[in-house]
Amino acid sequence: MNIFSLFNAMPGAMAQGLIWGIMAIGIYITYRILDIADLTVDGSLCTGGAVCIMMMLSGHNVFVSMLVATLAGMVTGLVTGLFHTFMGIPPILSGILTQLALYSINLKIMGKANQAINVDKYDLLISLRYIKNTNPLENTIFIVAVIIVLLVLLLYWFFGTEIGCALRATGCNGNMARAQGINTDFAKVLALMISNGLVGFSGALLAQYQGFADINMGRGAIVIGLAAVIVGEAVFSRIFHNFGFKLIGVACGSIIYYMVLQVVIWLGVDTDLLKLLSALVVAIFLATPYWKGKYGKKLMPKSKKGGSANA
């Protein structure tokens, strides 16, 4: 094993982690703020990538293409939200239905299972080629890092507004929010739209970075996003208490996830097992609070148990 090959691969892992970190921030909005595990993301990530690539292949500007990709992601969130609020379908099933429908829609958008774009022929914002030996201002890592900072600032401002507070109240206690006159159905739909808009935007960046959009590029996205959220919280929860810094922590969690993944690949672990390892990591982190609550008191010394009562 050559340690230099690992260091050589780390910038690419960091760039991928940052791109997927935008998706993880979108998942954080539904999973932590709205308390919904939205499975739409497995389809909306591909939708964002497919729309962006096809727009650029049709001659549109990269920024226009990314804007339309973001709007397409928001439409997928709108569909999931209407399935849940208007049709009364549970949120997980709503996400599954939208994700299933998006497979066919994404195929129709691209015309086939895979669409490539050449960085030499098209003016891409980011690319795998722009990581090493390039102008710092054109470096993929720098550009995506700036984008994340701007997104976090925008979301921090938004969730401090009246509408943003209504979204947070809906996720915290829907019944109390309704009692305060908040339209919780609208809040859920809006949160799902914002979340999937970010996921679609992430898909547009990912498609540019890897040079193609593929029908399976979003498969397992929910697991990667949850892993980023959970790892970010586990590592930075004691440091980051502010909402904006928590979002930064989620993006950092995505970087850590991809760096660890790169180390695992470097160690020679079968790449076919990576999804299994990701699922196990997420399962363990999700189970940790439950284990602490269930077994933590049993492991606590008896003197500590009685100490507070005697005091």
Side-chain angles (χ1 to χ4, degrees), residues 1-12 132 262 266:
M1 294 180 190
N2 188 351
I3 190 70
F4 293 107
S5 65
L6 177 62
F7 286 127
N8 228 17
M10 278 304 173
K132 301 173 186 175
Q262 196 61 55
W266 176 73

Side-chain angles (χ1 to χ4, degrees), residues 8-151:
N8 228 17
M10 278 304 173
M14 183 178 292
Q16 269 196 297
L18 284 167
I19 293 168
W20 285 86
I22 296 173
M23 182 212 64
I25 290 172
I27 288 177
Y28 182 89
I29 291 172
T30 51
Y31 183 66
R32 283 300 185 213
I33 296 178
L34 207 59
D35 198 22
I36 291 175
D38 179 27
L39 299 182
T40 312
V41 298
D42 280 21
S44 58
L45 185 84
C46 179
T47 302
V51 169
C52 180
I53 294 298
M54 294 309 294
M55 288 280 292
M56 292 194 71
L57 290 176
S58 300
H60 292 87
N61 180 279
V62 63
F63 296 106
V64 173
S65 302
M66 290 171 62
L67 175 61
V68 176
T70 304
L71 293 174
M74 294 181 75
V75 170
T76 66
L78 173 64
V79 172
T80 300
L82 291 177
F83 277 155
H84 174 49
T85 58
F86 180 69
M87 300 179 70
I89 301 172
I92 290 181
L93 288 177
S94 299
I96 292 172
L97 287 172
T98 308
Q99 176 200 133
L100 184 64
L102 284 174
Y103 187 89
S104 298
I105 293 170
N106 293 336
L107 274 176
K108 283 296 183 183
I109 291 171
M110 293 189 289
K112 55 183 180 178
N114 185 293
Q115 283 284 1
I117 190 165
N118 193 324
V119 65
D120 295 324
K121 295 181 180 179
Y122 295 90
D123 189 19
L124 304 182
L125 181 64
I126 62 171
S127 172
L128 183 59
R129 293 191 194 178
Y130 301 156
I131 292 182
K132 301 173 186 175
N133 305 319
T134 186
N135 185 335
L137 295 178
E138 295 177 353
N139 187 285
T140 294
I141 295 173
F142 173 76
I143 291 172
V144 181
V146 169
I147 289 172
I148 286 178
V149 171
L150 292 175
L151 282 175

Side-chain angles (χ1 to χ4, degrees), residues 239-257:
I239 305 171
F240 297 156
H241 302 289
N242 178 278
F243 176 71
F245 283 114
K246 284 182 179 180
L247 296 179
I248 293 288
V250 169
C252 292
S254 180
I255 297 171
I256 293 169
Y257 172 82

